[in-house]
Amino acid sequence: MKLARVLLPNAEVHVALLEEASVRVLDMTQMDEYRKLSDILHAPDPAGLAKYLVHQKIAPVAVEEVRFLAPVDQQDVWAAGVTYKRSQQARMDESEHGASHYDLVYSADRPELFYKANPSQVVSPGEPVRVRADSNWSVPEPELALMITPEMKISGYTIGNDMSARDIEGENPLYLPQAKVYNQSCALGPVVLLANEPISMSETTVSLKIERESETVFEGETRLDQLHRSLEELATWLGKELDFPNGAILLTGTGIIPPDQFTLQNRDVVTIEIAGIGSLVNPVVKD
Ligand code: DO4
Ligand code: MG
């Protein structure tokens, strides 16, 4: 089952359940404790609750008529790094001084986890992601994102774009927060696939397409089984010694990196597709 935050043609924002070609609005006025998408995601049985909350007085709305919004309420967004071999190699190549850190963290017990965004830095599908004005080498990072409850349980999956300035990070690993955290540096959506059924790591593909003036300038694909750590392991490490009363969203790392000579340009269009979840499409802005 898939849930989403949607903007309806009447300009109202609702939580909705996705059906084949339409969405069903949920009645979030019935129970005080369930007002937001994250309230449902943090409930013991999100799928059962969502079915129960389907609004009986609002007819299904065609998918083409709604705009999907980033599925984030008050959660902080975190990210894991160097979880795929491809990422380990790319970091070592781009790094001027700190290559061995990436090598070590790939196989260490403790993963690399970093703060990525608060909800105000996250953009929705269709909204522009940004390249920093002081970066000349930036890429999108297509990542499976975990929706995590305050008890650190994975309740759903969405698609994330961990926009990254490779030149800033490469100059000095201590610049990582500036390479990763800035306005419009993270896109999420369009929907949350509930985790009541486990995601197939061996069958789920992640793909990235970058278009420039309607021409494809980069395409790549990986599979979740190329991820070097389990999803539960990443969520557990995030929750060690840190509470998330509003839940958290955790990007799980990238397994696709364009060649070193590639950088995003103003007006490029980034499409990230994760099989079984959907496609996250964002234009790029660089000013
Ligand atoms: O170590 C830098 C960040 C790596 C990252 O974001 C990734 O592997 O996805
Ligand atoms: Mg990343």
Side-chain angles (χ1 to χ4, degrees):
M1 180 187 288
K2 292 176 186 168
L3 301 181
R5 288 177 64 238
V6 293
L7 181 70
L8 297 186
N10 65 5
E12 285 178 8
V13 174
H14 284 276
V15 180
L17 183 159
L18 220 77
E19 289 178 337
E20 285 287 289
S22 57
V23 301
R24 297 300 309 263
V25 167
L26 304 191
D27 181 357
M28 304 298 284
T29 62
Q30 284 189 41
M31 287 181 269
D32 279 349
E33 62 272 48
Y34 303 120
R35 299 284 175 192
K36 308 184 292 298
L37 173 58
S38 54
D39 296 334
I40 299 182
L41 295 173
H42 300 169
D45 174 18
L49 181 62
K51 268 192 230 151
Y52 174 78
L53 290 174
V54 168
H55 209 305
Q56 300 305 325
K57 294 197 179 131
I58 302 182
V61 186
V63 164
E64 305 79 56
E65 289 182 33
V66 307
R67 196 154 82 69
F68 288 88
L69 303 176
V72 60
D73 292 313
Q74 290 156 304
Q75 303 99 313
D76 282 336
V77 182
W78 281 66
V82 198
T83 49
Y84 289 77
K85 195 79 190 157
R86 176 72 189 98
S87 180
Q88 178 211 24
Q89 192 53 54
R91 303 309 147 196
M92 291 176 68
D93 292 348
E94 81 200 6
S95 179
E96 287 179 27
H97 312 291
S100 66
H101 301 313
Y102 299 108
D103 203 14
L104 292 172
V105 83
Y106 181 72
S107 39
D109 210 26
R110 182 191 296 274
E112 177 196 7
L113 295 174
F114 58 92
Y115 180 80
K116 176 64 190 173
N118 69 34
S120 75
Q121 288 135 3
V122 173
V123 301
S124 293
E127 291 179 342
V129 284
R130 229 164 62 77
V131 169
R132 289 181 66 114
D134 55 1
S135 168
N136 293 313
W137 185 21
S138 281
V139 293
E141 291 189 353
E143 306 191 9
L144 177 73
L146 310 178
M147 311 299 291
I148 298 178
T149 69
E151 294 76 34
M152 301 316 282
K153 186 172 155 272
I154 300 168
S155 62
Y157 311 100
T158 191
I159 304 172
N161 180 352
D162 170 24
M163 289 288 289
S164 302
R166 294 188 69 186
D167 45 358
I168 295 175
E169 184 189 341
E171 188 180 336
N172 187 324
L174 295 179
Y175 292 154
L176 183 82
Q178 295 174 72
K180 293 288 192 176
V181 185
Y182 54 90
N183 299 331
Q184 298 161 262
S185 65
C186 180
L188 292 172
V191 300
V192 174
L193 172 69
L194 294 184
N196 50 340
E197 285 170 29
I199 196 162
S200 163
M201 301 299 278
S202 60
E203 283 166 28
T204 303
T205 51
V206 180
S207 67
L208 168 65
K209 182 168 76 172
I210 305 171
E211 290 162 292
R212 188 165 295 159
E213 289 169 1
S214 305
E215 300 265 298
T216 300
V217 287
F218 175 78
E219 257 181 317
E221 187 175 283
T222 188
R223 259 194 344 257
L224 291 183
D225 63 1
Q226 299 303 301
L227 214 165
H228 179 62
R229 298 177 186 267
S230 78
L231 304 178
E232 292 72 21
E233 176 190 350
L234 293 173
T236 301
W237 273 102
L238 182 65
K240 283 192 190 194
E241 305 290 326
L242 188 56
D243 292 341
F244 290 93
N246 298 316
I249 298 178
L250 177 61
L251 276 57
T252 54
T254 186
I256 307 174
I257 298 179
D260 287 354
Q261 57 282 7
F262 181 89
T263 187
L264 285 172
Q265 292 180 11
N266 194 31
R267 293 204 298 272
D268 284 355
V269 177
V270 176
T271 301
I272 300 172
E273 190 173 334
I274 300 189
I277 304 180
S279 293
L280 171 63
V281 184
N282 297 93
V284 174
V285 66
K286 179 169 198 248
D287 39 38

